[in-house]
Amino acid sequence: MTNDSTTNSYPPDRVPVDVAVGVLVQRDAQGREADFLLTSRPEGKVYAGYWEYPGGKLEAGETVEQALRRELQEELGITIGAAHPWKIEVMDYPHARVRLHFCKVYDWQGDFEMREGQQMAWQGLPVRVQPVLPGTIPVLQWFAAERGFQGATHHG
């Protein structure tokens, strides 16, 4: 998924790592988007305890959707339906630069299993769980814009 023309401008240690991110969204009785799923980062990982949208790095030869299917099965024990590409955001963290490929997901099967010892929480705006991973904040702002939400999107 990485394009050489976009990565050549980065220092070698700051080339973005492509990450597929699942924004699982429930629908209300009228079919409108409602709560979305956040999961906590498990112990032993960078930013352990921070809340984020689930997903993970693309492996060699994987598309964003393939990586998302694999990651959500591995982390949450669910099988997703269609992944709807939404937005892409590059985030610079001290440990890595990541290119986050956010996909909305409305359909999934299976019972949620927190296979990495993480927690899960269905949230609306403003998000009640904290702390929120910096890469999650743009998504909350996009939701606020789409939903006409005014005010702080999260605490802390």
Side-chain angles (χ1 to χ4, degrees):
M1 194 84 204
T2 314
N3 178 334
D4 288 339
S5 66
T6 62
T7 58
N8 286 344
S9 61
Y10 298 115
D13 64 335
R14 301 308 290 168
V15 172
V17 173
D18 286 295
V19 176
V21 184
V23 182
L24 278 67
V25 183
Q26 295 176 327
R27 293 195 186 266
D28 66 16
Q30 290 75 40
R32 295 179 303 232
E33 291 187 3
D35 287 350
F36 45 85
L37 182 72
L38 291 176
T39 57
S40 63
R41 292 187 56 79
E43 290 301 317
K45 287 196 175 181
V46 177
Y47 288 100
Y50 278 71
W51 290 84
E52 65 178 352
Y53 294 94
K57 296 177 196 166
L58 274 67
E59 293 182 353
E62 274 186 324
T63 65
V64 169
E65 186 167 350
Q66 289 168 336
L68 190 58
R69 286 183 186 290
R70 177 182 51 75
E71 287 286 345
L72 295 184
Q73 180 64 48
E74 290 173 2
E75 292 179 15
L76 306 179
I78 61 169
T79 301
I80 63 169
H84 304 274
W86 187 24
K87 296 185 183 273
I88 298 173
E89 183 84 8
V90 175
M91 293 295 298
D92 264 317
Y93 291 105
H95 69 287
R97 175 183 283 234
V98 292
R99 183 181 297 114
L100 303 168
H101 299 262
F102 292 99
C103 299
K104 286 186 179 180
V105 177
Y106 302 102
D107 302 299
W108 53 87
Q109 292 180 331
D111 294 327
F112 286 92
E113 303 169 23
M114 300 296 103
R115 293 179 170 180
E116 296 182 344
Q118 72 276 43
Q119 298 177 58
M120 65 177 275
W122 290 101
Q123 298 286 291
L125 295 174
V127 167
R128 297 175 310 279
V129 294
Q130 56 182 319
V132 175
L133 193 67
T136 299
I137 294 169
V139 182
L140 301 178
Q141 294 167 343
W142 301 331
F143 271 136
E146 286 183 358
R147 298 174 180 196
F149 179 83
Q150 301 291 317
T153 58
H154 62 288
H155 302 285

